[in-house]
Amino acid sequence: MCLGNLNLGFEICLGFRYSNLEFIMKYLLHPDFKPIQTKIDYKTELNAEQFEVIKNASGPCLVLAGAGSGKTRTLVYLTAYLLEHKIPPQNIMLVTFTNKASKEMLNRVEVLLKYHPRGLWGGTFHHLANIILRKYAKLLGYGNNFTILDNDDAKSLMKNCVAELGYDIKNKFFPKPDVIHSIVSFHQNSLIPISDIIANKFGHLKPEIIPTIEKIFQLYQKKKKVANSMDFDDLLGNWHTLLKKFPETKSSLSKQLYYILVDEYQDTNTIQAEIIEELSSVHKNVVVVGDDSQSIYSFRAADINNILHFPKTFKNAKIFRLETNYRSTPQILELANHSIKNNRSQFEKNLKSVKTNASKPALAPLGDSYQQAEFVCQRILELQEEGVELKSIAVLFRAAYQALELELELNKKNILYEMRGGMRFFEQAHIKDVIAFLKIFNNIKDELSWKRVLQMYPGIGPAAAQKLWEHINAFQDINSLIESKVSASTKAEQSFQEILSIFYKLIHIEEKFIATAINTIMQSGYKKYVESAFENARDRIEDLEQLANFALSYKNLDNFLSEVTLSEAFKGVNKEGKNADKDALILSTIHQAKGLEWKAVFIIGLIDGQFPHRKVFEKPQEMEEERRLFYVAATRAQDELYLTYPIISSSYLTGQNINRPSTFLRELDENLFEKWEVEGDFNLPTISYDDENDDKPGILKMIKNL
């Protein structure tokens, strides 16, 4: 006989042992699923928009969740609601885009329910693909014990394929394995032909290379199959193939998954969207949450049409809108709403703030990028004095080079900062490569710089570089070295002579030495090297062009290199000189800032050609994604938003230029922001425009207002 509470897991049983009467305490494990009443008051704990989703989420549902509207909370409560209403956890799949998001959501579900919903499918697309493929791998010709290649392993295998087919990896004009891997990865995720990807994303590669890359890809796929291994792209691709080619397996999985919940649906690629469509084919209970206004990852193969066309893909889909914003002030939201309304391809929505009225966003035209940096630093120090922590402040930009002058100014003022999502400007490989040439020109005895430069060239490995260095070290100046003869392999000697020819050109530069030297290095082969070595070649070339522009303010190479080196070495201290790792200003590209928020946000470099990026003037169809980037940046701000741009830019090719304020600024009504007139040590050059023929509207007015 037993008495007890099954929910608690305990029973007290009366039994006999060795002819003696005694009490035995038993502990029982719960079955896989038994709903536990947690008494969640959904109507009280959620706002009306969120509650509407919870109680009506059946069939295909599109939840348009604006920035800061509590989409994670909605998904967590929806998961709890389904479990409370007797949907077993093994019949629910919660799909996220990052492991961090998955852990956060599953933890919050468990805390809300006060028990662990054992069997709930939760994780990233890749994590869930791995689980499913472990069971069905044999259908696709793999063993269930297949190996998963990480990115480094995948690139090493790609390198082996290139070598096996007899292509010269050291040839600076042949795409490096990393670039080829990037091309085929985009192909696998987007299902776009390799030829189209090269034409649209890697236009610097010649069309003749297409059959070669296709051949390498075929060998790469074959080697993985033979080795019973998959890379990250294969996890999605093979899951997709499983659902498309094996209807019985698809039916089995779809019957099991009664509810599918997908976070950040605007970031899905073609493969991921089709996987969700196939998995939901039986029950049709698919709830996707996302915001088309925050779709900014097309360069990763994300397709905004997945969310825009959801109502067409899933007939009779319900559409919900989460428009109550808990993050930003009404004034910040009004500016963001006004901007995004200029996009045509979108679902209409209008975010409303729960906060009280505050000051308007500030628009500050600055003389040049140096004055912009001074303004941002001074305002950050003032915010600190007002009690705002550095880690609650962010400076956002379209491209990393826009923060170049700011990084130097932060170093000078000892303001600790953290670069999110990448290296500081001067720590990047392509910048260090070009700086190495300049260091050698300035100091022929710089062994590290010599070895860095030498090993970029065909036929020069570590051993050859050491031998060449021993030859170089015997000379005291570049002129003598150029006239010398070296004994090396034919290929190494050819490469060394090519390097010396660059220094010969540098010797004969007559004006704007540093800027012209950078341009000369680029045009003497390094640009081709970048195009073959890096998947984001266009961005890196643009960085180097901006480095040349930045160098115009330096007359002396020693000073320039010292400034660069000090910036590289800077670790950052706060005003008291103590380690302040836990309180650092955030510098970030807008792409890396998505999903985050800060009390005060600065968006810098708001000029046409930088933000929006100049590519949109060649491909106008990309303007809407650029505008979504601006929307994402603006909606990161909780309390204060600062918009800045330099009036003047210097170019080593065209001299000083008057910048056109960003399209995104010119579209705004003037009552949406306060214009700050910044006074300081900056003198505008003498400029005259014919008002009637001025094709840059707003510039004269803006200059006159300063």
Side-chain angles (χ1 to χ4, degrees), residues 525-544:
Y526 189 73
K527 183 178 179 181
K528 289 288 185 184
Y529 175 81
V530 169
E531 290 174 341
S532 66
F534 300 108
E535 57 187 86
N536 58 341
R538 290 177 182 174
D539 292 340
R540 292 178 187 257
I541 290 169
E542 189 170 12
D543 284 346
L544 292 168

Side-chain angles (χ1 to χ4, degrees), residues 130 150 155 188 208 221 225 286 342 428 497 565 630:
N130 177 51
D150 62 23
K155 290 174 181 178
Q188 288 178 277
E208 296 80 53
Q221 295 295 82
K225 194 75 173 282
V286 54
N342 288 283
Q428 298 176 93
Q497 291 302 322
T565 304
F630 179 70

Side-chain angles (χ1 to χ4, degrees), residues 441 478-479 482 500 502-510 513:
F441 189 83
I478 289 288
N479 281 308
I482 291 172
L500 293 181
I502 294 174
F503 289 112
Y504 179 80
K505 293 176 186 176
L506 299 189
I507 290 171
H508 293 87
I509 293 173
E510 295 182 355
F513 174 75

Side-chain angles (χ1 to χ4, degrees), residues 685-691 700:
T686 303
I687 302 162
S688 61
Y689 275 120
D690 180 347
D691 285 345
L700 265 181

Side-chain angles (χ1 to χ4, degrees), residues 661-673:
S662 171
T663 301
F664 308 139
L665 296 180
R666 303 198 313 273
E667 290 172 343
L668 297 174
D669 289 338
E670 290 188 0
N671 61 3
L672 293 171
F673 54 81

